[in-house]
Amino acid sequence: MRQYSADLTPPWKKPRPVPEVPADPGLVVEEGRTGFCGAVIRCEAGAVTLEDRFGKHRVFPLEPRGFLLEGRVVTLVKPATGPVRPTRTASGSVAVPGARARVARAGRIYVEGRHDAELVEKVWGDDLRVEGVVVEYLEGVDDLPSIVSAFAPGPDARLGVLVDHLVPGSKEWRVAESVTSEHALVVGHPYIDVWEAVKPSSLGIAAWPRVPRGQDWKTGVCRALGWPENTGEAWRGILGRVRSYRDLEPELLGRVEELIDFVTATGDA
């Protein structure tokens, strides 16, 4: 007697296989049923924990076809076990296992505010500690000329400054032009605030919204995106989605690397 399969579903109606993707920490996915989007925090015992841009955690089962990765249905699986030593820092530099922090140099890098400093620390912190470079923030650039004068940069104490919204004709541009010491380097990015230097795709948004003139930019961004109008909470969510240099725009990456090279150059370079 001929044996027939119990599965009478026509081949064209059967679901197509989907790729299996390891739930590695930092992977950003969307849970299929709820639409919750977040980065993988941990994966254990058949479940995965995701963290959204506001720092909220949710746990989901590792079900087949349960998640979306860049718009495609995938099956998350537990990553391979065993300690994996990173070979690169968050900035993309070669990691130096067991490297000790160098004694701080006399030179410094100044950034405009706390958010700038926290972002630089998250991506370049390992590199800065190896090089002995300290990052401080200014709370604005209006007093930059007097700050540079008081610092008195020299061949063995170079000063690098990162400025927001450094575009020709802006107030920031005019202030930067007034710094003339050969041992001080002022560079900047074109964004109104360092928030914009984080790629929208890393945050799960299409683009950074335009905020009307006269309105507080950060508050306007939160309002336009439907985020709670708490800029501190919003920033914590943004920073939490930054895992490496890949999450940042090249206009910021190049300028920070330039400052690190300048500050760590030898006095006779």
Side-chain angles (χ1 to χ4, degrees):
M1 180 181 293
R2 182 177 296 177
Q3 298 295 320
Y4 293 92
S5 169
D7 185 0
L8 301 179
T9 305
W12 60 88
K13 288 189 176 181
K14 292 182 178 180
R16 294 182 178 179
V18 301
E20 292 188 346
V21 177
D24 293 320
L27 180 73
V28 177
V29 294
E30 179 182 338
E31 202 277 328
R33 287 190 235 178
T34 63
F36 186 90
C37 182
V40 174
I41 299 300
R42 67 181 66 87
C43 181
E44 54 192 1
V48 62
T49 302
L50 303 182
E51 179 186 57
D52 72 3
R53 64 177 179 268
F54 300 118
K56 182 179 180 181
H57 290 192
R58 288 191 62 178
V59 180
F60 298 99
L62 290 176
E63 296 180 343
R65 308 172 65 88
F67 298 85
L68 298 176
L69 176 62
E70 298 180 348
R72 296 185 305 134
V73 177
V74 299
T75 296
L76 287 189
V77 297
K78 190 173 181 179
T81 57
V84 178
R85 177 171 291 175
T87 58
R88 297 276 174 180
T89 66
S91 72
S93 301
V94 176
V96 183
R100 294 184 178 181
R102 179 173 174 169
V103 175
R105 293 173 181 266
R108 292 287 187 275
I109 290 177
Y110 284 171
V111 297
E112 281 207 49
R114 181 171 61 84
H115 293 178
D116 307 69
E118 289 174 346
L119 185 60
V120 169
E121 162 61 28
K122 183 154 190 182
V123 177
W124 287 273
D126 290 338
D127 307 62
L128 293 169
R129 280 182 284 277
V130 169
E131 295 290 349
V133 176
V134 174
V135 175
E136 301 180 9
Y137 59 90
L138 304 168
E139 291 291 2
V141 297
D142 292 342
D143 297 324
L144 182 59
S146 61
I147 290 172
V148 172
S149 177
F151 185 89
D156 298 317
R158 293 181 170 215
L159 179 62
V161 183
L162 179 69
V163 176
D164 297 341
H165 197 228
L166 191 63
V167 295
S170 67
K171 176 194 74 174
E172 293 81 2
W173 179 270
R174 292 190 294 271
V175 172
E177 289 288 288
S178 67
V179 177
T180 58
S181 170
E182 64 178 310
H183 304 299
L185 175 65
V186 182
V187 300
H189 55 75
Y191 306 112
I192 294 173
D193 189 274
V194 77
W195 286 22
E196 276 193 296
V198 179
K199 291 180 178 178
S201 59
S202 297
L203 303 175
I205 61 176
W208 286 103
R210 294 182 178 274
V211 177
R213 278 182 170 273
Q215 186 178 137
D216 178 73
W217 187 84
K218 292 176 181 176
T219 302
V221 164
C222 293
R223 187 174 299 139
L225 293 175
W227 296 353
E229 292 184 25
N230 180 327
T231 57
E233 180 182 345
W235 171 245
R236 287 191 293 274
I238 294 167
L239 189 63
R241 298 295 288 273
V242 175
R243 308 295 171 179
S244 74
Y245 71 96
R246 294 184 180 89
D247 296 306
L248 303 182
E249 299 288 1
E251 289 83 355
L252 176 67
L253 293 173
R255 302 294 73 76
V256 176
E257 298 285 352
E258 186 178 357
L259 289 177
I260 294 174
D261 289 345
F262 178 81
V263 172
T264 57
T266 57
D268 56 357

